[in-house]
Amino acid sequence: MKKDELIERVSMKAGLSKAQASRALEAMTTSVAKTLQQGDSVSLIGFGTFQVSQRAARRGRNPQTGAEIVIPASKSPTFKAGKGLKDAVK
């Protein structure tokens, strides 16, 4: 499903115009992103939890030259599905 299709479904289910549904979806995604930037997590009971995971620095190899390189530490957004979402997918 693409963003436009999601906006259309939200507008139909919530009785909103497509413009209102688009603004609501944009507000939700922006809010989640800003919360994760601050280092907090977002939990939606029954749906899941958005968090930031930390990856430690590690050594790797350049596949072209075989030279050893250092891969720096990084942060990555993750999503863990909640029980309600897991049950819905079964």
Side-chain angles (χ1 to χ4, degrees):
M1 174 183 292
K2 296 182 182 179
K3 186 176 179 180
D4 291 340
E5 295 167 331
L6 179 59
I7 290 170
E8 188 169 334
R9 283 196 187 179
V10 169
S11 72
M12 288 188 323
K13 294 250 183 202
L16 302 171
S17 70
K18 285 186 182 180
Q20 291 170 323
S22 178
R23 285 194 300 273
L25 181 61
E26 189 65 32
M28 187 261 188
T29 56
T30 301
S31 297
V32 169
K34 286 191 184 275
T35 302
L36 294 178
Q37 284 175 347
Q38 295 169 354
D40 294 331
S41 64
V42 177
S43 295
L44 303 172
I45 303 300
F47 185 73
T49 303
F50 296 91
Q51 311 179 291
V52 176
S53 67
Q54 303 257 350
R55 292 184 182 174
R58 62 193 189 279
R59 294 180 187 258
R61 293 216 177 261
N62 181 332
Q64 291 181 334
T65 64
E68 191 172 280
I69 59 172
V70 175
I71 302 169
S74 64
K75 294 180 181 179
S76 174
T78 60
F79 176 75
K80 182 177 178 186
K83 184 176 181 344
L85 181 58
K86 287 179 184 178
D87 291 344
V89 172
K90 286 185 181 179

